Amino acid sequence: LQNNKTDFFFENKALIFSFCHHRKSTRLHHPHKTHFDPQTPPQSSIHSSLKMAEDDTTSMEVDTPATTTTTTKRTKANPHVTPSASAETASKHPDMELAQKIHRLQMISSSKLSHEEASLPSNYADIVMSEIGGPEVENPSLYEHLKDTVVSAYVDNAGEEVTLLDDQTLTDMGIAHKKTLSELEKKVEEARESAGDMEVLSARFDVARFAAKSLSKEEALKAYEDIVALPKLSSGKTIDAIMESARVASFHGDTKTNTELVDKAVKMANDGGDWDRRNRLMPSS
């Protein structure tokens, strides 16, 4: 039996030594104990203990503070309020950054701003017109309007030539848009015949957002009026449609229509809109 104890000691010597050393260092530096070893700084003792434990591949349990879980009271969703459009579902058109570019182009064409003052490239008109006529926007109505009113003055005042799309290209673009609009309107009718109100609403928004991107201001505003005129439309979706149409008016510089639409949306939000729409409209109220 004695030999067995001896063998056990030698076989587990490293483990026993590490455990004893850890117990000693824990006793010396326990936060509730006042005794300490003046020969060994506390940090070095703890470090040695941890190092020894790592070398001997032993593990020690560490007390962790108890975590408290807080319960959040959930409020029941109001079935009569439709959540507002998220960043993923809200319309990205018309692009208000493009509106800023057009404004700068108008300022340069009227000699109220120079390329140097605005730190703009000399071919700024080419950049803006290419974006309007490019695949992301393809708005022939806006393109022709700026071509006739802004670009000609820009060439005279800035002294820079502008490369423009020819009339045939713009005509072909307009024909293609009429075909696209007809297909979108067909989807609205199909949804009305074989689907429900939500599908009709979604198809109507597709028409309006295409018009906001690629058609004239008047066509876009009319498309949003068709949304607002839908029966059984929730106040939330009505506000969304009005705000998107206000964005169209703002993009085209129609401040009067924009103000009227924003005021209408604010009134609706205060009367029965959800908190998110009221918060987004608060600066305008």
Side-chain angles (χ1 to χ4, degrees):
L1 182 61
Q2 185 67 27
N3 290 337
N4 291 340
K5 290 181 178 179
T6 304
D7 293 342
F8 176 82
F9 174 78
F10 281 104
E11 290 175 359
N12 298 276
K13 180 173 65 174
L15 179 62
I16 295 170
F17 177 78
S18 174
F19 177 77
C20 294
H21 186 86
H22 170 62
R23 290 293 301 274
K24 179 182 177 181
S25 62
T26 304
R27 205 165 47 244
L28 289 175
H29 305 294
H30 195 279
H32 300 295
K33 302 293 184 180
T34 57
H35 174 72
F36 66 95
D37 184 359
Q39 301 298 325
T40 308
Q43 289 294 333
S44 61
S45 296
I46 295 173
H47 178 75
S48 300
S49 175
L50 294 175
K51 180 64 176 175
M52 185 67 71
E54 292 175 358
D55 293 343
D56 294 331
T57 65
T58 61
S59 62
M60 55 183 182
E61 298 179 355
V62 180
D63 292 334
T64 55
T67 57
T68 58
T69 57
T70 58
T71 58
T72 304
K73 184 179 179 181
R74 293 188 177 182
T75 57
K76 188 176 180 180
N78 187 342
H80 303 293
V81 174
T82 305
S84 59
S86 65
E88 290 77 19
T89 59
S91 176
K92 297 178 175 60
H93 298 286
D95 185 358
M96 299 310 294
E97 185 176 344
L98 176 58
Q100 290 294 322
K101 295 177 182 178
I102 294 172
H103 177 69
R104 294 189 194 101
L105 187 61
Q106 291 171 329
M107 294 288 285
I108 295 173
S109 66
S110 61
S111 300
K112 295 179 181 178
L113 185 70
S114 66
H115 292 89
E116 294 75 16
E117 291 172 336
S119 300
L120 298 173
S122 59
N123 63 335
Y124 190 68
D126 281 319
I127 296 172
V128 176
M129 297 301 287
S130 295
E131 185 172 348
I132 297 171
E136 290 296 323
V137 180
E138 285 190 337
N139 193 321
S141 173
L142 178 61
Y143 194 98
E144 290 180 341
H145 171 71
L146 294 177
K147 177 183 174 182
D148 296 337
T149 60
V150 177
V151 174
S152 57
Y154 175 90
V155 172
D156 294 337
N157 294 329
E160 297 288 340
E161 293 296 328
V162 182
T163 302
L164 297 170
L165 298 176
D166 56 54
D167 293 340
Q168 186 60 50
T169 301
L170 294 173
T171 301
D172 293 342
M173 195 181 296
I175 294 172
H177 286 351
K178 287 182 179 179
K179 181 180 178 182
T180 301
L181 186 62
S182 176
E183 292 172 352
L184 292 173
E185 289 287 357
K186 184 179 179 180
K187 289 182 179 180
V188 173
E189 294 304 319
E190 291 174 352
R192 184 177 285 113
E193 293 173 2
S194 59
D197 293 336
M198 291 302 297
E199 289 76 12
V200 173
L201 175 62
S202 178
R204 271 283 161 225
F205 264 109
D206 287 342
V207 172
R209 288 169 178 175
F210 172 74
K213 176 179 74 74
S214 299
L215 302 182
S216 66
K217 179 189 75 172
E218 291 74 20
E219 289 172 301
L221 292 177
K222 174 63 170 59
Y224 280 109
E225 288 174 2
D226 291 341
I227 294 176
V228 176
L230 289 174
K232 302 179 183 179
L233 187 63
S234 68
S235 61
K237 288 301 182 182
T238 302
I239 293 172
D240 288 342
I242 292 173
M243 287 305 298
E244 287 190 20
S245 60
R247 181 174 178 167
V248 171
S250 177
F251 178 88
H252 290 278
D254 188 348
T255 55
K256 181 178 181 294
T257 301
N258 173 263
T259 301
E260 292 173 352
L261 291 168
V262 170
D263 289 345
K264 184 177 180 180
V266 169
K267 185 178 185 304
M268 288 194 65
N270 291 332
D271 291 344
D274 61 89
W275 64 269
D276 184 29
R277 289 181 175 90
R278 284 197 296 271
N279 289 343
R280 288 191 288 140
L281 287 167
M282 190 178 297
S284 301
S285 59

